Amino acid sequence: MKLFVEEIQRIYDRDSLTDLKEQLKDQVVDPSLSWQSRMDLYEKIKWINLRLEHLKKK
């Protein structure tokens, strides 16, 4: 997860972050996912949301 967070911190384009978030959201609904995999996706979405909030404040 640390690597993912570092990647997100290097992205300054809100549209790119939003696109990535939507891609992850689409993956969450896959019925074959384990609960742990789903939670990992939710965690990534949370980090993207935090990054988006941070960029809004700039």
Side-chain angles (χ1 to χ4, degrees):
M1 188 63 68
K2 182 180 177 184
L3 214 57
F4 179 80
V5 173
E6 289 172 358
E7 268 184 51
I8 294 300
Q9 295 299 323
R10 286 188 288 245
I11 300 174
Y12 289 88
D13 181 50
R14 293 192 326 220
D15 290 335
S16 295
L17 286 167
T18 302
D19 289 344
L20 178 58
K21 177 181 165 181
E22 291 303 316
Q23 290 172 10
L24 293 173
K25 284 170 60 178
D26 290 343
Q27 293 177 26
V28 166
V29 296
D30 181 357
S32 66
L33 278 180
S34 69
W35 280 106
Q36 184 59 50
S37 296
R38 191 166 284 133
M39 293 308 293
D40 291 342
L41 288 171
Y42 283 135
E43 185 74 14
K44 288 179 179 181
I45 292 169
K46 179 187 96 171
W47 281 107
I48 293 171
N49 284 335
L50 289 171
R51 180 67 177 151
L52 285 166
E53 281 298 316
H54 177 76
L55 291 174
K56 280 184 189 177
K57 293 176 182 178
K58 285 188 167 190

